[in-house]
Structures are given as C-alpha cells and as structure tokens.
Amino acid sequence: MRTTLSRPGVDGLDAAAGALRAWQDEGVPWQLHPGDIGWFRRFGAEATAAAVRTWGRDGRILAVGLLDGPRLLRLTTAPDARRDEELARVLAEDLGDPGRGVLPEGAAYAEVPADALLHDTLTGNGWGTDESWTPLRRDLTEPVGDPGVRVEVAGPEHAEVRAAVQRAAFDNSSFTPDRWHAMAAGPLYTDARCLVARDARGEAVAVVTVWSAGPGRPGLLEPMGVAREHRGHGYGRAITVAAAGALRRMGASSAVVSTPSSNTAAVATYRSAGFEQQPETRDRRRDP
C-alpha cells in the first residue's frame, strides 16, 4: 500500500502520541517527543488536532508532524523508517506542495531527524538550511543532586503563579492559567510535572515542565524559563537539576532538551546542570 497523509483529529491524537512514545529511545537522534504535543495542548484539543499530521502505511503510523506555528513543521519518523525511500519521497512531496495541507505557500520550515533520508530528498527538491539547534542530554542512571533551592510541583492551585513566571520568562508569551488548565486536562499530562522554584523569600523565580515518555525512555524538558528580574542567580541551573530529578523519579532513562544554538546562555545553563551537548541540527527551509 502507498504511504498516505492524514489529519488524525482529536480522536486520533492518542495514536499519534503513542507512536511518538514508542519511538523514543537512547541512541536515536533528536526527534519530536510526545511532550511536544502535550505542551501544545495548552491551546486546546481541537487546535492541537488541527496542528498534527501523520503518515502511515498498512495501518501503521510511520511519521508524525506538529505544526509549531503556521510555517514550521516539526517532524519525526519511526526509527526503522528513517531510510525508507517511499516515505522520504511522499514526505518531501507533501511538504513541498501547499495544496497538500501541510505547509502554506511562501517560505516554510521543517525540523527533520538528522539521520533521515528525507534530508537528501529535500535537498534534491531545492530546500536549504536554516536555524541551528543544540540538543542536550543528561543521563539519569545515577541519582540527581539537590537543586539547592526550594522547588514545588505546581498543581491547579498554582496555575496562576506558573503562568505568571512563564510570561515573565519569555517575550510575547501568551500563557495563562486557563491555558495551564487546558494543558493539564490533556491525557499526556498524566506523564508530566510542572515545577516552580522559589527564592529565599518564597517568590516564584523559575519554572519548567517535564514530560515522560514512559519508564526507560528519554524524558523532555519543555519549556524551562527564569523570570527576567531573577536571572543571574543560578535559578536556571537549579530548576534544570530539579527537572532531571523529577524525570528520574518518573523512570526516565535520560533528560533531553533542545535550544537555539544562538541562545548561548541557555546552552551554558543546561551544561552547568549536567547536560551534555550533542551535535547541532539545522532546520530545513523552503524558499518562496
């Protein structure tokens, strides 16, 4: 059977997330994580379903994409399908043709696993490269040390504080308590935790959300941020160490995160928290 593109709808999100969960494994190059869909769920179930695309063959999902904005598709495939020629061809056709309902006309971008044959196919179709990203990883075989600050798990009663620090950490953030509740209402949040770090006075200074993909699999930090007025005091390192500890308690084999390579401060923060820098990746770009 031919590889086909689908929009899973709300009822199909569990299958897409389940495929992503099964594909997370140590030694596999950086890829889309079920936590990415879980974090997107802050916009609601319908919006999340509208942003997800799947490609399948013979009843099996082979690739999952998340439109992280109207012009950026974050894409991954089953590890054993990375060199599948038909899948690479169909993906390239669907990403290149605005009529397929994946990416619009004009400039568009795609995140693709580093070892995927799709890179070669896109290059042959005239795609270039764009922003550089730095993946980082911390092994969780050994116990994680104390973060050195007070850290609490944010539940519904902390939604307002959690959202306020998020907005104070990221320019143009639209995160609100309602969006926290929408995210937490999603099924993927069952395997997630929001953490809030507080300073010596008890003021919330940094936040992170961690997402498990199940015991023995890599867990994701998405997002992590420190309020602007509290930067430079080690809170980024502290909340990142706490995140690694939370994932280890949830059974994760490692903690992973990816940040723009241009954000050297973030790279330094993760490294200070015991994360090892991995080879850079680059988004692919389709010019108008």
Side-chain angles (χ1 to χ4, degrees):
M1 294 179 65
R2 188 178 187 276
T3 301
T4 56
L5 164 65
S6 299
R7 297 191 182 198
V10 173
D11 292 340
L13 285 176
D14 285 349
L20 290 176
R21 184 179 292 108
W23 298 343
Q24 308 303 312
D25 200 3
E26 298 299 339
V28 175
W30 174 263
Q31 58 180 326
L32 191 67
H33 192 278
D36 291 306
I37 293 180
W39 172 238
F40 199 96
R41 182 62 166 68
R42 68 194 186 277
F43 298 116
E46 294 289 346
T48 304
V52 172
R53 302 289 185 273
T54 61
W55 287 262
R57 186 192 307 148
D58 296 331
R60 180 195 176 198
I61 296 176
L62 294 177
V64 177
L66 174 68
L67 284 164
D68 198 3
R71 296 188 177 275
L72 170 63
L73 182 75
R74 302 181 62 191
L75 174 77
T76 195
T77 76
D80 63 350
R82 294 279 167 86
R83 310 303 294 177
D84 186 304
E85 293 184 3
E86 183 198 347
L87 177 62
R89 177 182 58 79
V90 172
L91 287 170
E93 290 173 355
D94 290 344
L95 270 59
D97 182 356
R100 304 288 177 92
V102 180
L103 290 167
E105 294 183 359
Y109 309 86
E111 179 186 84
V112 179
D115 59 343
L117 180 62
L118 179 58
H119 276 290
D120 298 336
T121 310
L122 292 176
T123 298
N125 289 359
W127 287 60
T129 58
D130 200 70
E131 186 173 17
S132 176
W133 292 78
T134 297
L136 300 105
R137 173 187 178 275
R138 174 167 175 161
D139 182 82
L140 296 180
T141 303
E142 300 297 328
V144 176
D146 188 285
V149 299
R150 174 185 162 195
V151 177
E152 60 192 19
V153 177
E157 69 277 16
H158 304 104
E160 187 169 347
V161 170
R162 169 69 182 85
V165 179
Q166 181 78 20
R167 294 194 303 274
F170 294 94
D171 294 337
N172 304 317
S173 172
S174 61
F175 200 49
T176 63
D178 285 346
R179 288 190 169 173
W180 186 91
H181 286 290
M183 174 187 71
L188 289 171
Y189 196 75
T190 303
D191 296 320
R193 302 286 187 276
C194 275
L195 307 180
V196 177
R198 296 185 180 273
D199 64 13
R201 298 175 300 172
E203 185 173 353
V205 295
V207 293
V208 68
T209 303
V210 295
W211 304 87
S212 169
R217 300 186 183 278
L220 175 71
L221 282 66
E222 176 60 28
M224 184 281 286
V226 179
R228 298 176 194 87
E229 63 271 26
H230 295 288
R231 291 172 184 167
H233 301 287
Y235 296 127
R237 176 190 178 279
I239 195 71
T240 301
V241 170
L247 284 172
R248 188 176 190 274
R249 290 190 292 274
M250 296 166 73
S253 56
S254 64
V256 297
V257 68
S258 187
T259 188
S261 298
S262 59
N263 191 347
T264 55
V267 173
T269 294
Y270 291 124
R271 292 186 64 180
S272 73
F275 283 65
E276 295 183 357
Q277 194 168 330
Q278 307 296 303
E280 284 186 332
T281 63
R282 296 186 73 91
D283 286 345
R284 302 307 305 262
R285 184 186 71 248
R286 188 195 71 202
D287 291 323

